[in-house]
Amino acid sequence: MTNRSGPPVAVVTGAAAGIGAATARALAEAGHAVALWDLDEAAASSVANLVAGAGREALAVGVDVGDHDSVHEALTRTRQRLGTPTAVVTAAGIMAVHPFLELPVDSWTTTLRVNLTGTFLVLQACASAMADDGLPGAMVAISSVAGRGPRADAADYAASKAAVISVVRSAAVALAPHRIRVNALCPGMVDTPMTQRNTRRRAEVESRSPDDIAASMLAKIPLGRLSTPKEIADIATLLIGENFNYVTGQAINICGGLEFD
């Protein structure tokens, strides 16, 4: 099942909000039909309506990215409605602030299930579909600068994002013979609902005000501001495009100078 007669098809996970929602809209503007995968199908439908209102076909799909069967059901729905995806951006992710000595094992397990296993399952399933149909493609996994170094109050998140970079590198080598490129983006501090929640949580843990925590965060960024979801989405869309068809296996920081690795 292919989409050769229609527009290229993109899958975006975590598409109900934040970087995922911005990426779905950016890929639609670039000419893709977009499948918006998210655990919250109703919220994804709201974003899909915005995409459709701009004249592009959009499909909201409820999916648990950490569950093999759910991912494959979502892919089947996508292929039946839109065609085989040749562009994939895995933006689904979670983070909860816990000091290392207080990090519950269930938080560790859940974070890795969504951020790492979810990324792997989506990349593997979509790449298999492309390979089966003989279609070249490009995939971008949203990692984080947290995967570049330690996070004393988010060890599970940092571990999951470091592992995403490793999976991307392995996938890039494995999928190159199928003409499928795989890269990672490592955002720094992005103005999203998750960042706002974690700022409030850090304020509670450290007995400081959210404004004080936010000011401390900004002070670490040479460019002096948070990035917007659209800035991340625009770079993901560029990496998907043909102008970057010799780039694979890379992990690119988008962090205002916060990290240099």
Side-chain angles (χ1 to χ4, degrees), residues 31-76:
H32 291 77
V34 183
L36 297 90
W37 293 10
D38 201 280
L39 189 63
D40 187 343
E41 186 171 355
S45 293
S46 296
V47 181
N49 289 336
L50 294 174
V51 172
R56 293 297 177 187
E57 191 169 6
L59 171 69
V61 181
V63 60
D64 175 359
V65 295
D67 180 83
H68 175 277
D69 291 346
S70 182
V71 167
H72 282 264
E73 289 169 8
L75 180 58
T76 296

Side-chain angles (χ1 to χ4, degrees), residues 200-223:
R200 294 191 294 269
R201 172 59 178 157
R202 286 191 170 105
E204 294 174 2
V205 170
E206 299 179 23
S207 299
R208 297 162 61 190
S209 72
D211 287 346
D212 188 28
I213 294 292
S216 296
M217 291 165 57
L218 290 177
K220 299 176 182 178
I221 304 172
L223 291 185

Side-chain angles (χ1 to χ4, degrees), residues 3 8 26 35 53 77 79 94 115 129 136 159 170-171 173 180 191 193 208 220-221 224 228 232-233 243 256 259:
N3 48 282
R77 284 184 60 189
R79 296 178 81 185
I94 59 173
N115 296 358
S170 296
V173 174
I180 300 170
D191 188 8
R208 297 162 61 190
K220 299 176 182 178
I221 304 172
T228 66
I232 310 303
N243 288 339
E259 295 281 352

